Amino acid sequence: MAPKNKNPNGENVVPEVQQKKTQALILKSSDGEEFSISKSAAGLSVAIKNMMEDDCAGGVIPLPLVDGGTLARVITYLNKHAEDGASDEDKRKFDEEFLSGMEVDVLCDVALAGNYLDIRGLFHDVCQRIVNGMKNKSVEWVRKTFRIESDFTAEEEEQIKKEYAWAWEGVDSDAD
Amino acid sequence: MDAEAKLDDMNVVMEILIRLPPKSVFRFISVSKTWEKTISTDPFFLRSYSRRQNSANRRRLLAILENKTKQPLDPELPPAQCIRFPDNPQVEIEQNDQFVFNSSNGLFLTGFLPSTFHVVNPVTKKCVALPPPPIACKTSVAIMCEDNFSELKANYIVLRAQQSLQNNIMQIDTYSSRTGEWTRSVLVATGSFELSLKTPTVANGVFHWNTTDLRTMVVYDPNDSVKNHVQLIQKPKCRSQLGEVTRSTTDDILWLFMIDTEHWKLFMLPKGGEIAG
């Protein structure tokens, strides 16, 4: 293997990866909180990467659709996944713990942020986590949790329920 | 982000819906009109969902194989299950002369002759009992389910065929899931034939019967613009005259696979053409 940290003229250089990592970037949440993040971690978000490349940001990237609490979580995730020494197994374990502590409200915020910032792995994992929690839940639970107001009349709703009666079997009670 | 609705981005909602099992998806039709519209009419959702479900079904088949070899490759896979049909307990009752007639695009046709037929959807676990046909007779019957991902509901026809006294005519009774009724019609062929009572092969929405001497195929396309017509296709002579047919989905070429003395032979028939070896 070629000697590390030397350019073709034999001069010592800082490896590109390390160089990138040391450079920081500021992400600004919808409620004005500012977070510092390495460029390599931020680059795991396709949306932020594009903004960095366009260089329209000048070091501070405003994210008007992500609140501070959610952004802090997303940054924790990005930092772990950009960590040099972290093996795939480490990351998997981290993801598991990271997501298992979240209430469904928080999961939704992270899903929306994952979609908006285009962080594929995070987005898919969070969606799967939401699915696991909701698949056996009632329609009322879904409406309440996602704050969706039904625009069906009672008759229309009854009609759907009649047509797909099999889909209403084995639904969890709303208690939990 | 704490706007009115928690999930205000339909991209995210769709990503979640695509991952839900069919039962939940059908239930959540009633969440709101937006969800109903996405689930039952959005072509992107319907395509992605059926693709994802197909691959999930492949995983399930794998699980059945694993149970046999007792060497689980992937502990995450659910074990193969015997499906129960809560709607129709009579399906579980043992019937000595109960048949599974055939399947088409994900639906099974089962029942017993002359006039008890059930259409079974293994995914929704729904079992529909068809009304008995107006005239009872023990004859060939098969289901054809439309290959249509642009609608949530499976549309199908069940077709019962019977030779008439005249040997160039057959009578068919067609049950349509759209009308919920049986209708009778008469099909005329260009020559005489003797229809085999074995279940026809259904491929690309087309029914293929054998004749009793296995020399000819009797072909009926319910979607053909020329109504009330059956096509007779001469089969090449081979050692084993039975063979099996299929059709390519894109160009509707008819393929016939037969076993001859030393080789197997594959014949093709382009739409409207002569059979070629």
Side-chain angles (χ1 to χ4, degrees), chain A residues 119-135:
Chain A
I119 310 166
R120 217 149 234 281
L122 176 66
F123 180 48
H124 287 178
D125 286 356
V126 175
C127 284
Q128 190 58 52
R129 181 65 64 162
I130 295 173
V131 162
N132 293 347
M134 78 188 269
K135 65 182 171 194

Side-chain angles (χ1 to χ4, degrees), chain A residues 65 135 137 143 146 151 167, chain B residues 6 24 27 30-31 33:
Chain A
L65 294 181
K135 65 182 171 194
K137 291 288 197 285
R143 286 195 195 127
F146 301 140
D151 41 9
Chain B
K6 196 73 202 172
S24 319
R27 188 166 66 245
S30 68
V31 165
K33 286 190 173 159

Side-chain angles (χ1 to χ4, degrees), chain B residues 188-204:
Chain B
V188 185
T190 46
S192 56
F193 61 95
E194 202 178 312
L195 193 73
S196 156
L197 294 184
K198 292 230 159 59
T199 306
T201 302
V202 179
N204 266 19

Side-chain angles (χ1 to χ4, degrees), chain B residues 102-120:
Chain B
N102 76 324
S103 73
S104 169
N105 283 325
L107 295 183
F108 289 105
L109 179 67
T110 176
F112 40 98
L113 295 171
S115 40
T116 306
F117 302 114
H118 291 112
V119 174
V120 176

Side-chain angles (χ1 to χ4, degrees), chain A residues 142-144 146-152, chain B residues 4-6 30-35:
Chain A
V142 172
R143 286 195 195 127
K144 202 176 134 213
F146 301 140
R147 282 168 226 155
I148 300 166
E149 218 161 293
S150 171
D151 41 9
F152 284 116
Chain B
E4 289 277 275
K6 196 73 202 172
S30 68
V31 165
S32 73
K33 286 190 173 159
T34 315
W35 282 40

Side-chain angles (χ1 to χ4, degrees), chain B residues 26-71:
Chain B
F26 276 86
R27 188 166 66 245
F28 296 155
I29 282 176
S30 68
V31 165
S32 73
K33 286 190 173 159
T34 315
W35 282 40
E36 183 203 26
K37 213 170 157 208
T38 303
I39 294 171
S40 45
T41 58
D42 188 301
F44 176 77
F45 171 76
L46 289 166
R47 244 195 334 270
S48 321
Y49 192 71
S50 73
R51 206 172 292 145
R52 205 182 157 87
Q53 289 304 312
N54 283 346
S55 63
N57 289 346
R58 273 201 288 282
R59 282 164 56 97
R60 181 54 67 86
L61 278 178
L62 230 179
I64 295 168
L65 287 178
E66 278 166 22
N67 279 2
K68 257 189 179 164
T69 59
K70 295 201 187 299
Q71 281 175 321

Side-chain angles (χ1 to χ4, degrees), chain B:
Chain B
M1 237 193 278
D2 277 308
E4 289 277 275
K6 196 73 202 172
L7 287 176
D8 50 1
D9 185 331
M10 273 325 272
N11 255 345
V12 180
V13 171
M14 220 185 276
E15 192 65 35
I16 289 170
L17 288 175
I18 281 169
R19 288 155 191 273
L20 281 167
K23 199 176 188 175
S24 319
V25 169
F26 276 86
R27 188 166 66 245
F28 296 155
I29 282 176
S30 68
V31 165
S32 73
K33 286 190 173 159
T34 315
W35 282 40
E36 183 203 26
K37 213 170 157 208
T38 303
I39 294 171
S40 45
T41 58
D42 188 301
F44 176 77
F45 171 76
L46 289 166
R47 244 195 334 270
S48 321
Y49 192 71
S50 73
R51 206 172 292 145
R52 205 182 157 87
Q53 289 304 312
N54 283 346
S55 63
N57 289 346
R58 273 201 288 282
R59 282 164 56 97
R60 181 54 67 86
L61 278 178
L62 230 179
I64 295 168
L65 287 178
E66 278 166 22
N67 279 2
K68 257 189 179 164
T69 59
K70 295 201 187 299
Q71 281 175 321
L73 298 168
D74 180 354
E76 307 253 302
L77 284 171
Q81 291 170 353
C82 179
I83 299 172
R84 288 178 191 284
F85 293 91
D87 294 356
N88 288 63
Q90 71 262 39
V91 175
E92 283 188 288
I93 297 168
E94 204 175 317
Q95 292 278 358
N96 282 335
D97 47 0
Q98 173 127 7
F99 289 110
V100 179
F101 296 104
N102 76 324
S103 73
S104 169
N105 283 325
L107 295 183
F108 289 105
L109 179 67
T110 176
F112 40 98
L113 295 171
S115 40
T116 306
F117 302 114
H118 291 112
V119 174
V120 176
N121 184 333
V123 177
T124 63
K125 295 187 194 177
K126 207 173 185 182
C127 175
V128 176
L130 302 192
I135 299 160
C137 64
K138 291 199 174 192
T139 182
S140 154
V141 64
I143 186 169
M144 186 274 282
C145 176
E146 288 172 18
D147 182 9
N148 183 0
F149 292 140
S150 60
E151 251 182 279
L152 193 62
K153 215 171 159 179
N155 285 306
Y156 57 88
I157 61 169
V158 172
L159 197 144
R160 200 178 62 156
Q162 175 190 16
Q163 183 106 43
S164 145
L165 289 173
Q166 281 157 290
N167 54 13
N168 66 331
I169 286 178
M170 66 195 257
Q171 283 176 337
I172 57 165
D173 293 303
T174 309
Y175 173 84
S176 160
S177 65
R178 292 181 201 271
T179 62
E181 282 171 3
W182 290 91
T183 49
R184 168 156 282 208
S185 45
V186 171
L187 304 179
V188 185
T190 46
S192 56
F193 61 95
E194 202 178 312
L195 193 73
S196 156
L197 294 184
K198 292 230 159 59
T199 306
T201 302
V202 179
N204 266 19
V206 181
F207 292 76
H208 309 76
W209 291 266
N210 266 308
T211 50
T212 47
D213 63 5
L214 302 177
R215 295 254 171 85
T216 310
M217 240 185 307
V218 182
V219 179
Y220 171 57
D221 183 352
N223 292 316
D224 200 339
S225 51
V226 187
K227 291 279 175 206
N228 303 336
H229 173 72
V230 275
Q231 196 184 2
L232 298 181
I233 297 174
Q234 209 68 38
K235 283 162 82 174
K237 267 203 176 134
C238 280
R239 180 172 60 89
S240 163
Q241 199 55 34
L242 193 58
E244 186 54 275
V245 291
T246 188
R247 281 173 188 264
S248 342
T249 44
T250 46
D251 46 17
D252 203 36
I253 289 176
L254 173 67
W255 299 92
L256 169 64
F257 192 106
M258 293 173 86
I259 309 287
D260 207 356
T261 345
E262 286 174 20
H263 315 276
W264 48 258
K265 284 184 174 169
L266 191 57
F267 301 91
M268 64 174 278
L269 182 68
K271 203 164 191 177
E274 296 277 310
I275 215 156

